[in-house]
Coordinates of all heavy atoms in Angstrom, one line a residue:
T140 N 18.3 12.9 71.7 CA 19.5 12.4 71.1 C 20.7 13.4 71.1 O 21.8 13.0 71.5 CB 19.3 12.0 69.6 OG1 18.2 11.1 69.6 CG2 20.5 11.4 69.0
E141 N 20.4 14.6 70.8 CA 21.5 15.6 70.8 C 21.9 15.9 72.3 O 23.1 16.1 72.5 CB 21.0 16.9 70.2 CG 20.7 16.8 68.7 CD 19.3 16.2 68.4 OE1 18.5 15.9 69.3 OE2 18.9 16.2 67.2
E144 N 24.2 13.0 73.3 CA 25.5 13.1 72.6 C 26.4 14.1 73.4 O 27.6 13.9 73.6 CB 25.3 13.6 71.2 CG 26.6 13.7 70.4 CD 26.4 14.1 69.0 OE1 26.1 13.2 68.2 OE2 26.5 15.3 68.7
K153 N 29.7 10.4 67.6 CA 28.5 11.1 67.2 C 27.3 10.1 67.5 O 27.4 8.9 67.2 CB 28.5 11.4 65.8 CG 29.6 12.4 65.4 CD 29.3 13.8 65.9 CE 28.2 14.5 65.1 NZ 27.9 15.9 65.5
A154 N 26.3 10.6 68.1 CA 25.1 9.7 68.3 C 24.4 9.4 67.0 O 24.3 10.3 66.1 CB 24.1 10.4 69.3
L155 N 23.9 8.2 66.9 CA 23.2 7.8 65.7 C 21.8 7.4 66.2 O 21.6 6.6 67.1 CB 23.8 6.6 65.1 CG 23.1 6.0 63.8 CD1 23.2 7.0 62.7 CD2 23.8 4.7 63.4
M156 N 20.8 8.0 65.6 CA 19.4 7.7 65.9 C 18.9 6.5 65.0 O 18.9 6.6 63.8 CB 18.5 8.9 65.7 CG 17.0 8.7 66.0 SD 16.1 10.3 65.9 CE 14.5 9.8 66.2
I157 N 18.4 5.5 65.7 CA 17.9 4.3 64.9 C 16.5 4.0 65.5 O 16.3 3.9 66.7 CB 18.8 3.0 65.2 CG1 20.3 3.3 64.7 CG2 18.3 1.8 64.4 CD1 21.2 2.2 65.0
L158 N 15.6 3.8 64.6 CA 14.3 3.3 64.9 C 14.2 1.9 64.5 O 14.5 1.5 63.4 CB 13.2 4.1 64.1 CG 12.7 5.4 64.8 CD1 11.8 5.1 66.1 CD2 13.8 6.4 65.1
A159 N 13.9 1.0 65.5 CA 14.0 -0.4 65.3 C 12.8 -1.2 65.7 O 12.1 -0.9 66.7 CB 15.3 -1.0 66.0
R164 N 14.8 -1.7 60.5 CA 15.6 -0.8 61.3 C 16.0 0.4 60.4 O 16.5 0.2 59.3 CB 16.9 -1.5 61.8 CG 16.6 -2.7 62.6 CD 17.9 -3.5 62.8 NE 17.5 -4.9 63.3 CZ 17.2 -5.9 62.4 NH1 17.2 -5.7 61.1 NH2 16.9 -7.1 62.9
V165 N 15.7 1.6 60.9 CA 16.0 2.8 60.1 C 16.9 3.8 60.9 O 16.6 4.1 62.0 CB 14.6 3.5 59.7 CG1 14.9 4.8 59.0 CG2 13.7 2.6 58.9
A166 N 17.9 4.2 60.2 CA 18.8 5.2 60.8 C 18.8 6.5 60.0 O 18.3 6.5 58.9 CB 20.3 4.7 60.9
L167 N 19.2 7.6 60.6 CA 19.1 8.9 60.0 C 20.4 9.6 59.8 O 21.2 9.6 60.7 CB 18.1 9.8 60.8 CG 16.8 9.3 61.1 CD1 16.0 10.2 62.0 CD2 16.0 9.0 59.8
V168 N 20.6 10.2 58.7 CA 21.8 11.1 58.5 C 21.6 12.4 59.2 O 22.5 12.8 60.0 CB 22.1 11.3 57.0 CG1 23.2 12.3 56.8 CG2 22.4 10.0 56.3
T169 N 20.5 13.0 59.0 CA 20.1 14.2 59.8 C 18.9 13.9 60.7 O 18.1 13.1 60.3 CB 19.7 15.4 58.8 OG1 18.5 15.0 58.1 CG2 20.8 15.7 57.9
I170 N 18.9 14.5 61.8 CA 17.8 14.1 62.8 C 16.8 15.2 62.9 O 15.7 15.1 62.2 CB 18.5 13.8 64.2 CG1 19.6 12.8 64.1 CG2 17.4 13.4 65.2 CD1 20.3 12.5 65.4
H171 N 17.0 16.2 63.7 CA 15.9 17.2 63.9 C 16.4 18.5 63.1 O 16.3 19.6 63.7 CB 15.7 17.5 65.4 CG 15.2 16.3 66.1 ND1 15.9 15.7 67.1 CD2 14.1 15.7 66.0 CE1 15.2 14.7 67.6 NE2 14.1 14.6 66.9
T172 N 16.8 18.3 61.9 CA 17.2 19.5 61.1 C 16.0 20.0 60.3 O 15.3 19.3 59.7 CB 18.3 19.0 60.1 OG1 19.4 18.4 60.8 CG2 18.8 20.1 59.2
I177 N 18.4 20.8 55.2 CA 18.8 19.4 55.2 C 19.9 19.2 54.1 O 20.9 18.5 54.4 CB 17.6 18.4 54.8 CG1 16.7 18.3 56.0 CG2 18.1 17.0 54.4 CD1 15.4 17.6 55.7
E180 N 23.6 19.5 55.0 CA 24.2 18.5 55.8 C 24.4 17.1 55.1 O 25.0 16.2 55.7 CB 23.4 18.2 57.1 CG 23.3 19.5 58.0 CD 22.7 19.2 59.3 OE1 22.6 18.0 59.8 OE2 22.1 20.2 59.9
I181 N 23.9 17.1 53.9 CA 24.1 15.8 53.1 C 25.4 16.0 52.3 O 25.5 16.3 51.2 CB 23.0 15.6 52.1 CG1 21.6 15.6 52.9 CG2 23.1 14.3 51.4 CD1 21.6 14.5 54.0
N185 N 29.5 13.3 55.9 CA 28.5 13.0 56.9 C 27.8 11.6 56.5 O 27.5 10.8 57.4 CB 27.4 14.1 56.9 CG 27.9 15.3 57.7 OD1 28.9 15.2 58.4 ND2 27.2 16.4 57.5
V186 N 27.5 11.4 55.2 CA 26.8 10.2 54.8 C 27.7 9.0 55.1 O 27.3 8.0 55.6 CB 26.5 10.3 53.3 CG1 25.9 8.9 52.9 CG2 25.4 11.4 53.1
L187 N 29.0 9.1 54.8 CA 29.9 8.0 55.0 C 30.0 7.7 56.5 O 30.0 6.5 56.9 CB 31.3 8.3 54.5 CG 32.4 7.3 54.8 CD1 32.1 5.9 54.2 CD2 33.8 7.8 54.2
A188 N 30.1 8.7 57.4 CA 30.2 8.5 58.8 C 29.0 7.8 59.3 O 29.1 6.9 60.2 CB 30.4 9.9 59.5
R189 N 27.8 8.2 58.8 CA 26.6 7.5 59.2 C 26.5 6.1 58.8 O 26.0 5.2 59.5 CB 25.4 8.3 58.7 CG 25.2 9.7 59.3 CD 25.1 9.6 60.8 NE 24.8 10.9 61.4 CZ 24.7 11.2 62.7 NH1 25.1 10.3 63.6 NH2 24.4 12.4 63.1
I190 N 27.0 5.8 57.6 CA 27.0 4.4 57.1 C 27.9 3.6 58.0 O 27.5 2.5 58.4 CB 27.5 4.3 55.6 CG1 26.5 5.0 54.7 CG2 27.7 2.9 55.2 CD1 27.0 5.1 53.2
Q191 N 29.1 4.1 58.3 CA 30.0 3.4 59.1 C 29.4 3.2 60.5 O 29.6 2.1 61.1 CB 31.3 4.2 59.2 CG 32.1 4.2 57.9 CD 33.2 5.2 57.9 OE1 33.2 6.2 58.6 NE2 34.3 4.9 57.2
A192 N 28.8 4.2 61.1 CA 28.2 4.1 62.4 C 27.1 3.1 62.5 O 26.9 2.3 63.4 CB 27.8 5.4 62.9
F193 N 26.3 3.1 61.4 CA 25.1 2.2 61.3 C 25.6 0.7 61.2 O 25.1 -0.2 61.8 CB 24.3 2.6 60.1 CG 22.9 2.0 60.1 CD1 22.3 1.5 61.3 CD2 22.1 2.1 58.9 CE1 21.0 1.0 61.3 CE2 20.8 1.6 58.9 CZ 20.3 1.1 60.1
D194 N 26.6 0.5 60.4 CA 27.2 -0.8 60.2 C 27.7 -1.3 61.6 O 27.4 -2.5 61.9 CB 28.3 -0.8 59.2 CG 29.0 -2.1 59.0 OD1 28.4 -3.0 58.4 OD2 30.2 -2.3 59.4
A196 N 26.8 -0.3 64.6 CA 25.7 -0.5 65.5 C 24.9 -1.8 65.2 O 24.5 -2.5 66.1 CB 24.8 0.7 65.4
I208 N 23.1 -2.8 54.2 CA 22.5 -1.5 54.4 C 22.1 -0.8 53.1 O 22.8 -0.7 52.2 CB 23.6 -0.6 55.1 CG1 24.0 -1.2 56.5 CG2 23.0 0.9 55.3 CD1 25.1 -0.4 57.1
A209 N 20.8 -0.4 53.1 CA 20.3 0.3 52.0 C 20.4 1.8 52.3 O 20.0 2.3 53.4 CB 18.8 -0.1 51.7
V210 N 20.9 2.6 51.3 CA 21.0 4.0 51.5 C 20.0 4.7 50.6 O 20.0 4.5 49.4 CB 22.5 4.5 51.2 CG1 22.6 6.0 51.4 CG2 23.5 3.8 52.0
L211 N 19.2 5.6 51.2 CA 18.2 6.3 50.4 C 18.7 7.5 49.7 O 19.7 8.1 50.2 CB 17.0 6.6 51.2 CG 16.2 5.5 51.9 CD1 15.0 6.0 52.7 CD2 15.9 4.4 51.0
F255 N 10.2 1.7 49.5 CA 9.2 1.2 50.4 C 8.0 0.6 49.7 O 7.4 -0.4 50.2 CB 8.8 2.3 51.4 CG 9.9 2.6 52.4 CD1 10.6 3.8 52.3 CD2 10.2 1.8 53.5 CE1 11.6 4.1 53.2 CE2 11.2 2.1 54.4 CZ 11.9 3.2 54.2
G265 N 19.3 -3.0 57.4 CA 19.1 -1.6 57.9 C 18.9 -0.6 56.7 O 19.4 -0.9 55.6
I266 N 18.3 0.5 57.0 CA 18.0 1.5 56.0 C 18.4 2.8 56.5 O 18.0 3.2 57.6 CB 16.5 1.5 55.7 CG1 15.9 0.2 55.2 CG2 16.2 2.6 54.6 CD1 14.5 0.0 55.4
L267 N 19.3 3.5 55.7 CA 19.8 4.8 56.1 C 19.0 5.9 55.3 O 19.2 6.0 54.1 CB 21.3 4.9 55.8 CG 21.9 6.3 56.3 CD1 21.9 6.4 57.8 CD2 23.4 6.4 55.8
A268 N 18.2 6.6 56.0 CA 17.4 7.7 55.4 C 18.2 9.0 55.6 O 19.0 9.2 56.5 CB 16.1 7.8 56.1
M269 N 17.9 10.0 54.6 CA 18.6 11.2 54.7 C 18.1 12.2 55.7 O 18.8 13.0 56.2 CB 18.6 11.9 53.3 CG 19.3 11.1 52.2 SD 21.1 11.0 52.5 CE 21.3 9.2 52.8
Y270 N 16.8 12.1 56.0 CA 16.2 13.0 56.9 C 15.0 12.4 57.7 O 14.6 11.3 57.4 CB 15.7 14.3 56.2 CG 14.7 14.1 55.1 CD1 13.4 14.2 55.4 CD2 15.2 13.9 53.8 CE1 12.4 14.1 54.3 CE2 14.3 13.8 52.8 CZ 12.9 13.9 53.0 OH 12.0 13.7 52.0
H271 N 14.6 13.1 58.7 CA 13.7 12.5 59.7 C 12.4 11.9 59.1 O 12.2 10.7 59.3 CB 13.3 13.7 60.7 CG 12.5 13.3 61.9 ND1 11.1 13.0 61.8 CD2 12.8 13.1 63.2 CE1 10.6 12.7 63.0 NE2 11.7 12.7 63.8
D272 N 11.6 12.6 58.5 CA 10.3 12.1 58.0 C 10.5 11.1 56.8 O 9.6 10.2 56.7 CB 9.4 13.2 57.6 CG 8.8 14.0 58.7 OD1 9.3 13.8 59.9 OD2 7.9 14.8 58.6
Q273 N 11.6 11.2 56.1 CA 11.8 10.2 55.0 C 11.9 8.8 55.6 O 11.4 7.9 55.0 CB 13.1 10.6 54.2 CG 13.3 9.6 53.1 CD 14.7 9.9 52.4 OE1 15.7 9.9 53.1 NE2 14.7 10.1 51.1
G274 N 12.5 8.7 56.7 CA 12.7 7.4 57.3 C 11.6 7.0 58.3 O 11.1 5.9 58.4
L275 N 11.2 8.0 59.1 CA 10.3 7.7 60.2 C 8.8 7.6 59.8 O 8.0 6.8 60.4 CB 10.4 8.7 61.3 CG 11.5 8.4 62.4 CD1 12.8 8.1 61.8 CD2 11.5 9.5 63.4
A276 N 8.4 8.2 58.7 CA 7.0 8.1 58.3 C 6.7 6.6 57.8 O 5.8 6.0 58.3 CB 6.7 9.1 57.1
P277 N 7.5 6.0 57.0 CA 7.3 4.6 56.6 C 7.5 3.7 57.8 O 6.8 2.7 58.0 CB 8.2 4.4 55.5 CG 9.3 5.4 55.5 CD 8.6 6.6 56.1
F278 N 8.5 4.0 58.7 CA 8.8 3.1 59.8 C 7.6 3.1 60.7 O 7.1 2.0 61.1 CB 10.0 3.6 60.6 CG 10.2 2.8 61.8 CD1 11.0 1.7 61.8 CD2 9.7 3.1 63.1 CE1 11.2 0.9 62.9 CE2 9.9 2.4 64.2 CZ 10.6 1.2 64.1
K279 N 7.0 4.2 61.0 CA 5.9 4.2 62.0 C 4.6 3.7 61.3 O 3.7 3.2 62.0 CB 5.6 5.6 62.5 CG 6.8 6.1 63.4 CD 6.5 7.4 64.1 CE 7.6 7.8 65.0 NZ 7.4 9.0 65.8
V287 N 10.9 1.1 68.5 CA 11.8 1.6 69.6 C 12.8 2.5 69.0 O 13.4 2.3 67.9 CB 12.5 0.4 70.3 CG1 13.5 1.0 71.3 CG2 11.5 -0.6 70.9
N288 N 13.0 3.6 69.7 CA 14.1 4.6 69.3 C 15.3 4.2 70.1 O 15.3 4.2 71.3 CB 13.6 6.0 69.7 CG 14.6 7.1 69.3 OD1 15.7 6.8 68.9 ND2 14.1 8.3 69.3
V289 N 16.4 3.9 69.3 CA 17.7 3.5 69.9 C 18.7 4.6 69.6 O 18.9 5.0 68.5 CB 18.1 2.2 69.4 CG1 19.5 1.8 70.0 CG2 17.1 1.1 69.6
T290 N 19.4 5.0 70.7 CA 20.6 5.9 70.4 C 21.8 5.0 70.4 O 22.3 4.5 71.5 CB 20.7 7.0 71.6 OG1 19.5 7.7 71.6 CG2 21.9 7.9 71.3
S291 N 22.4 4.9 69.3 CA 23.7 4.1 69.1 C 24.9 5.1 68.9 O 24.7 6.3 68.8 CB 23.6 3.2 67.9 OG 22.8 2.1 68.3

Side-chain angles (χ1 to χ4, degrees):
T140 304
E141 294 86 352
E144 181 180 278
K153 299 288 287 183
L155 178 68
M156 182 176 176
I157 302 175
L158 273 291
R164 301 168 199 86
V165 176
L167 305 175
V168 174
T169 63
I170 304 176
H171 298 114
T172 303
I177 289 173
E180 297 186 24
I181 305 302
N185 285 346
V186 175
L187 177 59
R189 294 304 190 184
I190 294 173
Q191 292 170 329
F193 199 15
D194 179 71
I208 298 173
V210 180
L211 301 184
F255 287 105
I266 302 156
L267 183 66
M269 293 298 112
Y270 57 93
H271 188 280
D272 285 12
Q273 182 188 53
L275 269 56
F278 177 87
K279 293 187 177 184
V287 175
N288 183 346
V289 178
T290 301
S291 284

